[in-house]
Amino acid sequence: MDRATEYFDRQASGYLEASERWPWSWLRGSERAGVLGLVGQIPGHDLLELGSGAGYYTHAALVHGAKHVWAVDRSAEMLRQIRSDRVTTVLGDI
């Protein structure tokens, strides 16, 4: 396993919660608005998220009406943080 995957595996359990606290939450909120603006129409569509991590954008897509999200990441521990019957997690390195 490479060092980056080892790092994210260690960080996984608190990663999503940390992104919802200041100051990271401010940055993530601005970033989310830009990403969702570029994605376009989400309601009713299936989405593929490459490098999903703990599912920050996976969750945002579901909240905005995505029918299903395929979340791909190389950290098994990050993928374990994603819990939804509308998400299929895929362990892989893009």
Side-chain angles (χ1 to χ4, degrees):
M1 183 180 306
D2 64 275
R3 290 176 56 193
T5 304
E6 289 175 358
Y7 171 81
F8 284 107
D9 278 351
R10 285 192 311 270
Q11 300 299 315
S13 66
Y15 197 81
L16 192 57
E17 293 80 18
S19 72
E20 295 170 350
R21 288 192 305 264
W22 179 261
W24 200 4
S25 62
W26 173 81
L27 176 62
R28 275 284 172 106
S30 299
E31 186 182 80
R32 181 180 55 238
V35 168
L36 292 174
L38 290 171
V39 170
Q41 295 297 316
I42 294 176
H45 287 85
D46 290 348
L47 299 178
L48 171 63
E49 181 181 11
L50 301 174
S52 64
Y56 181 83
Y57 288 106
T58 301
H59 177 71
L62 294 173
V63 166
H64 284 85
K67 184 171 113 181
H68 192 88
V69 178
W70 295 81
V72 180
D73 202 274
R74 66 184 191 179
S75 168
E77 295 303 317
M78 284 288 190
L79 291 173
R80 283 189 187 94
Q81 306 305 308
I82 302 172
R83 294 179 184 93
S84 173
D85 59 351
R86 292 170 41 212
V87 177
T88 299
T89 58
V90 178
L91 181 62
D93 187 351
I94 59 167

